[in-house]
Amino acid sequence: MKKQESLFWADQLAKKIIERKKFYFTESKVPKLKKWSVKSSSSLSGVLHIGRLSDLIRGEAVYHALKDAGFPVEFIYVTEDMDPLRKIPKGVPKEFEKYIGFPVSDVPDPEGCHKSYDEHHLEHFLNTAMDFLSTKPKVFSMRKEYQKGSFNGSIKKLMKGRQTVLEIINKFKETPLGEDWIPWQPICENCGNMQTTKAISFDGKKVEYICQDYKFETQTAKGCGHNGFSDLSKANGKMPWKSEWAMQWKHWNVCSEGAGKEYESKNSAFWINAEICEKALEFPAPEPIFYEHILIGGIKMSASLGNVVYPSDWLKYSRAETLRLLYLKRLMKTRSFSWQDIPLLELELDRLAENVSQKKGVEKEQIQNKRLLKFVETKKRKITAPQLDFSTALMVGQLFSDPEKAFAKVREMGLAGPKEKEFVLERLEKARNYANEHLSEEQKTVFVPPQKIDSSKINSAAKSLLPEIADKIEKAKNAEEIQNLVYNTAKENNVQPKQLFSSLYQAILGKERGPRLGSLIFAFGREKVAARLREIK
């Protein structure tokens, strides 16, 4: 029988990369290299939120798909630390306004614990990101690569062929760049600012510039008025993004990189750089990983709106693997997250693990589920289908603040063995945190006092069975046995099971539904619940 091909998007993209023969914009052939790379990158000047992890998680997936196929590849992360500081983030002293326009690599660390602003944020970013990754990427700094001269060859080539670069960029500009355009942004040798320098001439080796004020959207970078020369061989500056990105691809032999869906259009920076890369630098443009961004309650994340979800907060309430599942199951689908989704995501991951372990579905589904689960897992652990589901953990976590007592209750319910203790304690802790901070009072599990029970809401036929149910649950050995005996008692007495279950919830919680009944009764205590059922008249 022919082996069925994986339809997982990362495998499909890997196949496209491996089988690609030609450039997109010229007739050149894709070279065979000893090592390629899948690249991820980000600026370190913004707020670190879960959206910033999406590029890394998806890029890592393509890296693993290529590696599984035997393709020579590595996974890299590039810090865009030559980006200018555009505004003063919250918590940074006002006097840092003097660094507006400086590369973030040249801005001091406001907290004084690192050499620079970018190194402070990089350490925090990578430490947090590694909780959500299975492979640590090789990390590179754009500032250091410029300083080492890594891009000198490409800079020389782009400056020499700037007419080609100019034509490519101008194809999509309403207001074309002039013929005197110089694609080099020097760092002022007098004040250290980069955004304030305006290139005015180029003699083939040096760029003449003048340092003058530059207005960002909300703040102004102050120029010092210096008139100087930037020697390209010393690379104390940077190329504009529409050519620098292409330069990165060539330098690191990038075969694939992620980008948001806004880069999918042919006039985007991605495709402009792709054409520059192939025509001016004679290197094949990478295969893009275009993806949708994540929204919070249908709105873009923003620190000013207060709707930012931090990775550290995610780990308080849920596993890292649930975020990986959210990003990896499909690429081009808008994700709108709210904290109410956490129980559903935990359930979805549990079901995926269950489907894989029990080989559910036709062969095609089994292959897809197994492949998806492999990519969702981190190196820290294998994901298996747990006996203790998140909704039950929510209930037990609320009722027992002591971890050992909570674990003992889960064991009593027949939902965990001794080898599962580490996972159960972790799930209980996350569920308890979630219940405390994200459940309303109406959603919380409370054994209501007798005076709050409205017996008129309990079905009369079901009410007559409550004493019998009370006797049976006292003898039950586990939660599943209670679940079955309630169902069977209803059927034996010609009562709709749904009515009996609803009646029991009314008697215990004062509402029509709640957590899985067998687990609920074990959590509260069989004798306590039995006594309540005998009180109902």
Side-chain angles (χ1 to χ4, degrees):
M1 182 184 291
K2 185 179 178 182
K3 186 178 179 181
Q4 195 156 7
E5 183 180 303
S6 169
L7 296 178
F8 182 57
W9 66 264
D11 289 324
Q12 290 292 301
L13 186 55
K15 184 173 184 285
K16 188 177 181 182
I17 292 167
I18 293 167
E19 294 179 353
R20 183 178 168 193
K21 304 297 182 188
K22 293 176 62 178
F23 284 29
Y24 286 124
F25 296 94
T26 73
E27 293 302 310
S28 299
K29 291 183 179 179
V30 174
K32 288 188 177 180
L33 302 177
K34 289 184 179 179
K35 183 73 74 174
W36 294 83
S37 69
V38 174
K39 172 180 169 276
S40 179
S41 68
S42 65
S43 171
L44 298 172
S45 58
V47 175
L48 172 61
H49 51 64
I50 59 171
R52 299 277 291 278
L53 295 172
S54 67
D55 196 89
L56 274 166
I57 290 171
R58 286 155 172 156
E60 184 197 44
V62 175
Y63 158 75
H64 280 301
L66 286 166
K67 199 171 182 184
D68 287 351
F71 191 73
V73 67
E74 62 183 357
F75 182 38
I76 69 170
Y77 172 75
V78 177
T79 66
E80 302 293 349
D81 51 10
M82 284 293 282
D83 286 358
L85 184 68
R86 298 172 184 273
K87 60 182 179 180
I88 302 301
K90 187 178 179 180
V92 174
K94 185 175 173 58
E95 56 262 30
F96 269 66
E97 286 183 356
K98 65 185 178 183
Y99 296 112
I100 293 291
F102 278 56
V104 292
S105 58
D106 295 359
V107 177
D109 177 9
E111 297 183 27
C113 52
H114 291 78
K115 182 181 176 183
S116 61
Y117 181 93
D118 72 297
E119 285 189 10
H120 177 93
H121 287 81
L122 176 63
E123 182 176 335
H124 175 54
F125 179 81
L126 290 178
N127 286 345
T128 304
M130 282 313 302
D131 286 326
F132 294 85
L133 296 175
S134 60
T135 301
K136 186 174 183 177
K138 289 186 177 180
V139 181
F140 297 94
S141 153
M142 283 299 291
R143 180 60 159 147
K144 289 177 181 176
E145 294 301 317
Y146 272 113
Q147 290 173 333
K148 286 193 301 184
S150 300
F151 301 125
N152 283 3
S154 290
I155 291 170
K156 185 176 179 181
K157 218 168 192 178
L158 289 166
M159 293 295 280
K160 187 176 180 180
R162 67 185 185 279
Q163 190 60 41
T164 300
V165 176
L166 184 65
E167 289 172 4
I168 293 169
I169 294 174
N170 276 343
K171 279 195 297 185
F172 302 103
K173 286 185 75 69
E174 289 184 11
T175 306
L177 296 169
E179 290 295 317
D180 59 347
W181 174 70
I182 300 169
W184 180 249
Q185 188 82 49
I187 293 175
C188 180
E189 59 189 341
N190 183 58
C191 69
N193 206 311
M194 180 181 68
Q195 198 63 40
T196 54
T197 56
K198 178 178 173 58
I200 53 179
S201 68
F202 175 54
D203 64 8
K205 292 183 179 180
K206 295 181 179 180
V207 171
E208 184 181 5
Y209 66 90
I210 186 166
C211 185
Q212 55 192 22
D213 288 0
Y214 180 91
K215 187 166 179 57
F216 287 106
E217 190 175 333
T218 59
Q219 301 208 241
T220 298
K222 295 292 185 180
C224 68
H226 179 70
N227 183 198
F229 293 86
S230 177
D231 187 341
L232 292 184
S233 66
K234 294 180 181 177
N236 190 32
K238 77 185 292 289
M239 297 295 284
W241 184 234
K242 289 177 182 175
S243 64
E244 184 182 66
W245 204 356
M247 200 167 68
Q248 292 178 347
W249 294 336
K250 179 177 174 62
H251 175 60
W252 281 295
N253 294 340
V254 178
C255 63
S256 188
E257 180 168 5
K261 69 170 185 176
E262 66 273 17
Y263 286 100
E264 195 174 15
S265 63
K266 293 302 178 184
N267 65 344
S268 74
F270 184 93
W271 290 113
I272 289 171
N273 275 285
E275 191 170 351
I276 292 171
C277 189
E278 295 194 348
K279 288 184 176 179
L281 296 178
E282 300 170 335
F283 186 82
E287 291 294 336
I289 312 167
F290 291 130
Y291 51 79
E292 288 275 3
H293 295 288
I294 190 167
L295 304 176
I296 304 299
I299 302 170
K300 187 177 179 181
M301 268 188 284
S302 167
S304 60
L305 292 175
N307 67 342
V308 171
V309 175
Y310 295 97
S312 55
D313 286 341
W314 184 281
L315 294 175
K316 280 175 64 179
Y317 313 120
S318 187
R319 293 172 283 178
E321 292 88 352
T322 57
L323 184 64
R324 289 176 65 83
L325 177 60
L326 183 68
Y327 284 141
L328 294 178
K329 54 187 176 180
R330 283 182 296 277
L331 270 184
M332 292 303 280
K333 181 176 174 59
T334 301
R335 305 283 176 214
S336 186
F337 171 78
S338 80
W339 285 116
Q340 297 304 310
D341 296 333
I342 287 292
L344 298 174
L345 286 169
E346 286 285 347
L347 176 62
E348 186 177 0
L349 183 54
D350 288 349
R351 284 181 175 168
L352 176 62
E354 181 183 311
N355 290 341
V356 171
S357 65
Q358 297 182 13
K359 297 182 178 180
K360 291 184 177 181
V362 298
E363 183 186 9
K364 178 181 174 182
E365 291 172 318
Q366 290 180 28
I367 291 171
Q368 295 308 102
N369 287 336
K370 188 175 181 181
R371 197 68 179 142
L372 176 58
L373 184 61
K374 180 182 177 181
F375 279 86
V376 166
E377 289 176 336
T378 66
K379 280 188 175 179
K380 292 181 180 178
R381 60 180 167 197
K382 300 289 288 182
I383 298 295
T384 56
Q387 296 180 73
L388 176 66
D389 61 71
F390 194 79
S391 63
T392 303
L394 272 176
M395 173 185 61
V396 176
Q398 291 173 70
L399 300 177
F400 299 91
S401 58
D402 182 274
E404 291 300 326
K405 289 181 179 178
F407 179 67
K409 177 57 69 173
V410 172
R411 289 290 310 277
E412 182 189 350
M413 294 161 74
L415 297 178
K419 292 182 180 179
E420 298 171 281
K421 185 173 183 178
E422 184 179 351
F423 170 79
V424 169
L425 289 177
E426 179 193 6
R427 172 154 276 189
L428 286 168
E429 181 184 8
K430 292 183 186 300
R432 189 180 297 111
N433 291 340
Y434 182 83
N436 289 340
E437 298 186 42
H438 293 292
L439 290 186
S440 66
E441 290 305 313
E442 294 75 26
Q443 291 173 311
K444 290 182 178 179
T445 302
V446 179
F447 191 81
V448 297
Q451 60 268 28
K452 288 194 175 182
I453 301 299
D454 185 353
S455 60
S456 66
K457 291 183 178 179
I458 300 177
N459 177 274
S460 57
K463 189 184 295 184
S464 67
L465 299 176
L466 296 187
E468 181 182 345
I469 294 291
D471 293 340
K472 289 179 177 180
I473 64 173
E474 284 182 322
K475 300 172 185 176
K477 295 178 181 177
N478 54 53
E480 192 59 34
E481 186 178 335
I482 290 178
Q483 203 73 21
N484 292 330
L485 72 84
V486 172
Y487 180 85
N488 292 332
T489 301
K491 298 294 284 185
E492 290 164 6
N493 291 275
N494 296 316
V495 173
Q496 288 290 328
K498 184 178 179 181
Q499 288 182 331
L500 183 52
F501 276 98
S502 178
S503 297
L504 288 165
Y505 284 124
Q506 285 285 0
I508 300 168
L509 303 176
K511 48 191 177 185
E512 292 183 357
R513 57 180 63 87
R516 189 170 173 81
L517 186 65
S519 300
L520 178 69
I521 291 173
F522 253 86
F524 281 137
R526 290 164 296 163
E527 294 77 9
K528 183 177 180 179
V529 174
R532 164 60 58 81
L533 298 183
R534 293 185 182 109
E535 292 173 359
I536 304 295
K537 303 297 181 185

